[in-house]
Amino acid sequence: MTTELRPVAPAYIGSLKPYQAGKPIEETAREYGLPEASIIKLASNENPLGMPPAARAAIDAILQGGARYPDPNGHALKTALAQRYKIEKNWITLGNGSSDILELVARAFLQAAQPEQDCNAVSSQYAFMAWQNAVKATGARMIQVPAKDYGHDLDAMAKAVTPATRVVYLANPNNPTGTFFSLEQLSAFLERIPGDVVVLLDEAYNEYLEPQLRYDSTELVRRYPNLVVSRTFSKAFGLAGLRVGFALATPYVTDLLNRVRQTFNVNSLAQAAAIAALSDDDYLNESYRLNREGIVQFYALCKELGLTYVESQGNFVVIKVGNSAELFDALLRRGIIVRKVVDYGLGEWLRVTVGLPKENARFFAALRELVTVSA
Ligand code: PMP
């Protein structure tokens, strides 16, 4: 081996920016000399209720089988999902979180840019960073269509599709802005997209939608064979640490996604917990209720302090705070972890996840103090 040589990766791999995740509680405690129990994390759109109790019991029951590989086909979880979403099992792909689904779609449908073969993915400005990275890791070109009112400009996105476009990515609601588009807007968009272009509709925050905005994603997937809907157990179902997500798509697309999937991508604890969480309606309803109640309070506080915010259908709100780095740090020193969104080009904003009432109250008190002081 000669030391002056090193393994060669394509330039687009070297240019990837590692995903900046929410700052962990343990790390904040270490760096700021705070007790872990005094820290609240409103940074990663996690569920503040903790894991559903039924999921915990399901994990306990499965633990003793930990020496065995998980079911590679997720039979029991797919059966439960099929029942709930009124779809056949061969329309379902399981993922190690829905980030895994986003990667599977990128890997299956995008290819490294070759001089003679252009290939691109169309997304909106403020598209979820993990999707942007999944696209870039394939070497395909990323086309970012400027947002309208912080949300998707579906008309401009449809116009941005070219013969080189293989995937269009939509998030409804969107992270980090929380914006939402209606079924009518979505259907009109889908009518305009050629059948050989995949539309990846990321519905990670679907369960937080207000009832009058909800629509039947299964019906859409049946109507549009180029549509892939992705969902997650990380948010309203309260299982972010276990990593489970899934996709709904035609058997043809599902088969392709399964070809690029790691055989054992969803571990056995995650599969068992997801089945339990799926039938815990009380937990899900409480997640929804608590979140809507909190969102309204977030809006009220922003109005009180004269801060601009974007109305959100997710479990978080982006707030325009001006010097976000300074405020982020001042909040950290008070044991409150929120999220900077500078990577999205929202340098003056912070994204804050709705927590438990007492966590929100602590954040509100800190913001009142810090924003008034700096005004
Ligand atoms: N899509 C969106 C829009 C998200 O905000 C997130 C989580 N932040 C995900 C997908 C992925 O979540 P997970 O991998 O935990 O399912």
Side-chain angles (χ1 to χ4, degrees):
M1 191 184 78
T2 50
T3 47
E4 62 273 17
L5 291 178
R6 55 184 179 180
V8 177
Y12 56 80
I13 297 292
S15 72
L16 280 172
K17 277 195 245 139
Y19 180 71
Q20 297 294 320
K23 202 171 174 64
I25 289 181
E26 299 76 9
E27 185 181 299
T28 308
R30 232 176 18 248
E31 290 176 4
Y32 288 79
L34 297 166
E36 281 186 18
S38 74
I39 295 173
I40 58 172
K41 184 173 175 223
L42 304 175
S44 300
N45 303 345
E46 295 148 337
N47 196 315
L49 287 172
M51 204 157 69
R56 211 188 172 110
I59 287 175
D60 283 344
I62 221 84
L63 263 180
Q64 56 185 341
R68 302 274 173 212
Y69 280 107
D71 175 356
N73 299 312
H75 176 81
L77 175 53
K78 281 189 192 168
T79 303
L81 288 168
Q83 207 172 2
R84 184 179 179 105
Y85 297 104
K86 302 194 172 43
I87 202 159
E88 298 73 31
K89 287 210 292 291
N90 61 345
W91 291 62
I92 302 172
T93 307
L94 299 181
N96 183 33
S98 61
S99 320
D100 192 23
I101 298 292
L102 306 189
E103 281 199 16
L104 297 182
V105 171
R107 213 178 305 149
F109 295 101
L110 301 173
Q111 60 210 326
Q114 292 158 10
E116 70 280 10
Q117 205 174 31
D118 193 15
C119 168
N120 72 51
V122 170
S123 321
S124 175
Q125 183 185 10
Y126 313 128
F128 180 44
M129 204 55 82
W131 167 251
Q132 297 190 39
N133 280 343
V135 172
K136 288 178 191 158
T138 67
R141 270 195 314 129
M142 179 84 190
I143 297 185
Q144 295 263 58
V145 176
K148 198 161 104 187
D149 298 330
Y150 299 98
H152 296 56
D153 183 343
L154 291 175
D155 180 49
M157 290 182 79
K159 287 185 182 135
V161 171
T162 71
T165 304
R166 300 271 52 91
V167 183
V168 180
Y169 171 81
L170 309 175
N172 204 31
N174 187 52
N175 173 25
T177 54
T179 54
F180 171 81
F181 45 81
S182 68
L183 174 62
E184 289 66 33
Q185 293 169 302
L186 174 59
S187 305
F189 175 82
L190 290 167
E191 289 295 332
R192 294 173 66 181
I193 304 302
D196 60 351
V197 175
V198 171
V199 176
L200 172 55
L201 177 62
D202 180 339
E203 297 186 337
Y205 300 94
N206 173 272
E207 297 79 11
Y208 291 113
L209 286 179
E210 292 176 277
Q212 74 276 13
L213 301 178
R214 292 181 193 167
Y215 53 85
D216 183 350
S217 306
T218 300
E219 205 263 314
L220 278 180
V221 166
R222 291 198 196 281
R223 185 140 42 106
Y224 298 99
N226 58 335
L227 180 63
V228 178
V229 167
S230 73
R231 294 279 185 96
T232 185
F233 281 90
S234 297
K235 311 296 173 185
F237 288 109
L239 298 179
L242 295 187
R243 316 302 303 126
V244 207
F246 63 97
L248 304 179
T250 60
Y252 170 76
V253 170
T254 302
D255 174 63
L256 290 171
L257 296 180
N258 273 288
R259 283 166 197 262
V260 292
R261 172 179 77 81
Q262 263 189 40
T263 312
F264 301 111
N265 62 335
V266 183
N267 71 70
S268 42
L269 304 184
Q271 292 188 31
I275 294 168
L278 209 51
S279 55
D280 197 339
D281 286 338
D282 291 346
Y283 179 92
L284 196 62
N285 293 338
E286 180 60 4
S287 299
Y288 172 81
R289 190 196 64 74
L290 199 68
N291 183 60
R292 268 293 122 200
E293 185 182 279
I295 290 263
V296 173
Q297 292 169 357
F298 271 66
Y299 295 168
L301 180 83
C302 290
K303 284 182 189 139
E304 177 193 321
L305 298 176
L307 296 173
T308 301
Y309 62 93
V310 181
E311 285 203 3
S312 173
Q313 286 296 327
N315 64 342
F316 54 87
V317 183
V318 276
I319 306 173
K320 192 171 185 186
V321 297
N323 191 338
S324 66
E326 199 174 279
L327 185 61
F328 174 79
D329 205 55
L331 287 167
L332 271 186
R333 275 185 265 111
R334 286 163 172 76
I336 301 170
I337 315 172
V338 299
R339 189 72 158 268
K340 282 192 272 198
V341 277
V342 61
D343 283 356
Y344 289 93
L346 292 166
E348 291 187 67
W349 300 67
L350 289 175
R351 191 195 69 193
V352 189
T353 305
V354 176
L356 294 171
K358 63 172 191 284
E359 295 174 328
N360 298 338
R362 242 179 88 186
F363 167 69
F364 297 160
L367 203 62
R368 273 194 191 99
E369 189 191 334
L370 292 163
V371 169
T372 317
V373 167
S374 63

